[in-house]
Amino acid sequence: MFGFGKGDTHSLTMNAAHPDSLLDTSVQDVIGKPIDRIDGPRKVSGTATYAAEYALDNVAYGYLVRATVGAGKIRTLDASRAKAMPGVIDVITDYASFIRNPQQGGETTAPAQGVEDVAYHGEIIAIVIAESYEVARDAAMQVRVDYAPGEGRYDFALHRDEAEKPKPQQIPPHHKQGDVDAAMAAAAHTIDVTYTTPSQNSAAMEPHASLAVWEDGALTLYGAYQMPASDKLQLAKALGVSASKVRIVAAFVGGGFGSKLGIAPESVAAAIAAKRLGRPVKAVMARQQVFDATVRRSNTEQRMRLGAGTDGRLTAIGHETIVSNLPGEDFFEPCGASTHFMYDGENRLITHDIVRLDWMLAGSMRAPGEAVGLIALEGAMDELAEQMGIDPIELRKRNEPKVDPEKNVPYSSRALIPCLEAGAARFGWRNRKPAGTDRRGDWLHGIGVASAARSNMLQKSSAKVSIDGQGKAIVETDMTDIGTGTYTILGQIAAELLGLPIADVTVHLGDTDAPPGAGSGGSWGAASSGSSVYLACEALRDQIAKAMDVDAAAMTLKDGLAIADNRSVPLRALVGKGLSATGEINAGQQEKAFNQASYGAHFAEVAVHAVTGEVRVKRMLGVFTAGRILNEKTARSQCLGGMTFGIGCALTEDLVNDHRNGKVVNRDLGEYHVPVNADVPQLEVEFLHERDIQANPLHAKGLGELGICGAAAAIGNAVYNATGVRVRDYPLTLDKLLGGLPAM
């Protein structure tokens, strides 16, 4: 890594508004611009190195072995046939985070170390190490496992009545305010419906992969991970070593969408195998193993209750969700995350309960909570508007809250209504026809709308910025770029604040030898890591001003020059052999004093074939506000990706478990249907101007997941408008529409 000593450290905790941003007074004019990705040439030329592509000498190859039952105990694991195959080095079973050696009354001994109890079908129980990937894969098929069958829980419907309240989380699992039952009984208009969504898989293009190498008792793991700083701690704990002995490198990550937030089985397996063999070991999950043994979005059952007076004002909001997860796991899909603050309403009940199933771990997938929770909320709002004969946008406008309806704190900034109004004008909402009346030949046409919201979060993040003797800048942080444009955005912030062309800024990411960043998750990455770069650059500006003997506020930096006091001095003449500074941002009281969220509105037009029930999305528009947009091109790309996710959520994606054994039956991209080019029309994205001075020094808010929030609901509402058929069981496959379509 580069660097010129630690230099100054500039820390900021967001305990007050930050009304003055240097990005508003700087003059390099690169911030916000649609600059091409600075890492783009490396990616399109194949020179960007991903986890499985590092060229190390003497690499051995690992292939993971999975459990073929959904519940039970492993009595014996016979690897003799695998070990006898030419090119096989070893078969390792003792990489589990727990170690047992049970004896059961003279019966066959379980594996001396490793997995004993099988938690779900496809759980990783061993790794085969060989001189080539092909040999390791073939040998894995020769590992023989004898199980003592157990009684598993594989059917959500069968066990839904056993749902339990989870432990408290950052989002409370249960919230009650007023009396929803009484308010519903007294309301002039009510909706009481249940929406269901299936399990989903992140299906990132790059499979989970790790390449482990030990040197002098320290591990370097080249991994496909979103949050190296916390992943390093997890890996160290799993291995029983000091975190100072672990380094994770994730310079390029081929998508994650939440599935790579934490370490996966291949990382621990590769690390232990490499330590035992004394040589590097590479373990790459097969696509089917990614579907089997990483993480899924939970299926959901969501009861939505809305009560309103004759004026359309909500008096009751009930959002009661049942999800699933493994026994002992605390995570729940927070479907009511935005319901807490989206609309006004005095009486509120928002709950989440967990059904314990022996399915793969449920965890965070892109926009956990809102991606599927807004399907229910926004679908129910559409149903209420239809029942009352009110335009769906008008109903939302009538229920715009002045303050957070539960916490009674102001919004830091909120532009939901401007998004709805701008989108309606651009999309031609006034031309919308009553449900089931716009028929064009064999096709029924309809348009729908849904609101979007995603809470804004600031995470502790550090970054080091240096200026070398030539006046060029280097940014260092272990923050990752998982396809979001982080390299470019951080480069733009540094270029803008230091007055440099973007070509004179080098950005190093994804290496835990650098200062710990926020990581890519929760839509907090750009604002959090960007703020730490901002603070480091602010400290460097002070150093440059001191060298020039002027006040920093009176100095202008542009095109590699420092301009002040009627002087124009090249930056390289002021930095000596080099300068450096570290910036650190921390969340503070602002997160409690204000409700911080990004907002948007989705509009969709669909055509539904009147005979077959086939649904085609014809066009979509997303209008969004997320504070300052740091790069218009990468921001638009994120929203386009989120909207595409919404199409999949609405129409195609359904991770299916066999109710007999828990096995995932559609465990590849041939059977798990993500949207392809033919499914996705030309999508449009519009950003409205906004600044949020309560959020951070950049005045920017989270955007990466906003594009998926509400997108599926807009499509579902459009399908209803086209057909007059309300489907509440997602995805909206043709079999769920056929029975209600009009006769020819």
Side-chain angles (χ1 to χ4, degrees), residues 45 96 127 142 167 185-186 217 243 265 288 304 322 331 336 371 401 442 486 536 586 608 613 618 660 667 702 726:
S45 64
I127 183 170
Q142 300 302 317
K167 295 179 181 178
Q288 292 81 1
M304 282 299 318
I322 303 175
F331 177 85
D442 287 342
T486 309
N586 295 277
V608 182
K618 306 299 290 184
R660 298 168 298 177
R667 41 200 286 269
R726 178 68 67 176

Side-chain angles (χ1 to χ4, degrees), residues 369-681:
E370 295 95 337
V372 288
L374 285 174
I375 287 176
L377 176 61
E378 293 301 295
M381 287 291 286
D382 204 65
E383 293 193 57
L384 181 61
E386 181 79 8
Q387 182 189 120
M388 298 185 67
I390 298 176
D391 182 273
I393 293 177
E394 175 61 25
L395 178 64
R396 289 165 171 82
K397 292 168 68 173
R398 292 186 190 183
N399 289 283
E400 172 75 358
K402 292 182 172 61
V403 296
D404 184 303
E406 294 179 9
K407 298 178 180 178
N408 197 33
V409 298
Y411 294 92
S412 60
S413 62
R414 179 180 166 111
L416 174 58
I417 289 178
C419 288
L420 288 164
E421 292 177 338
R426 180 167 172 173
F427 201 72
W429 181 257
R430 66 183 180 277
N431 299 321
R432 179 176 181 264
K433 297 181 179 180
T437 64
D438 187 359
R439 182 162 185 164
R440 307 174 196 177
D442 287 342
W443 293 90
L444 303 165
H445 286 250
I447 62 176
V449 66
S451 300
R454 172 71 177 165
S455 293
N456 182 66
M457 293 172 279
L458 183 66
Q459 298 291 309
K460 182 178 181 178
S461 185
S462 299
K464 180 180 178 181
V465 181
S466 306
I467 303 175
D468 66 17
Q470 299 303 310
K472 297 184 178 182
I474 304 99
V475 177
E476 300 171 84
T477 172
D478 77 0
M479 176 63 188
T480 49
D481 190 326
I482 61 173
T484 49
T486 309
Y487 277 102
T488 310
I489 291 167
L490 299 189
Q492 284 177 267
I493 294 170
E496 184 69 44
L497 295 178
L498 298 178
L500 293 172
I502 190 73
D504 286 352
V505 180
T506 300
V507 182
H508 294 287
L509 299 179
D511 188 333
T512 56
D513 278 355
S520 298
S523 297
W524 60 58
S528 300
S529 60
S531 291
S532 61
V533 171
Y534 175 104
L535 295 171
C537 290
E538 187 173 41
L540 284 174
R541 289 168 63 96
D542 289 341
Q543 294 182 41
I544 294 166
K546 184 177 180 179
M548 200 177 181
D549 196 23
V550 297
D551 186 82
M555 178 184 67
T556 298
L557 299 178
K558 182 173 174 58
D559 296 332
L561 299 173
I563 305 164
D565 195 23
N566 292 321
R567 291 179 289 148
S568 180
V569 182
L571 201 57
R572 62 178 180 272
L574 297 169
V575 300
K577 294 182 179 180
L579 302 175
S580 69
T582 298
E584 180 179 282
I585 190 74
N586 295 277
Q589 293 302 313
Q590 293 303 91
E591 288 194 352
K592 298 178 181 178
F594 293 87
N595 180 306
Q596 297 184 24
S598 301
Y599 292 92
H602 290 280
F603 294 81
E605 179 182 353
V606 303
V608 182
H609 198 277
V611 177
T612 67
E614 176 190 350
V615 179
R616 294 184 183 176
V617 180
K618 306 299 290 184
R619 59 190 179 110
M620 286 186 74
L621 166 67
V623 181
F624 305 107
T625 58
R628 187 191 306 273
I629 302 301
L630 300 173
N631 180 311
E632 187 178 337
K633 181 176 290 187
T634 60
R636 176 169 284 103
S637 178
Q638 284 293 285
C639 292
L640 294 175
M643 292 163 72
T644 301
F645 258 73
I647 294 173
C649 184
L651 301 180
T652 63
E653 295 190 48
D654 185 353
L655 192 68
V656 180
N657 289 84
D658 191 321
H659 290 173
R660 298 168 298 177
N661 55 23
K663 179 181 180 179
V664 177
V665 298
N666 55 337
R667 41 200 286 269
D668 57 38
L669 295 176
E671 296 295 329
Y672 180 81
H673 297 149
V674 298
V676 297
N677 191 58
D679 301 313
V680 183

Side-chain angles (χ1 to χ4, degrees), residues 172-222:
H174 285 201
H175 173 82
K176 182 178 181 181
Q177 180 175 311
D179 190 332
V180 167
D181 291 335
M184 289 287 289
H189 298 275
T190 61
I191 293 292
D192 187 347
V193 293
T194 298
Y195 282 77
T196 59
T197 63
S199 293
Q200 299 170 351
N201 189 278
S202 296
M205 184 180 295
E206 178 196 26
H208 292 62
S210 291
L211 174 56
V213 57
W214 292 82
E215 293 180 321
D216 300 324
L219 169 68
T220 297
L221 185 102
Y222 301 91

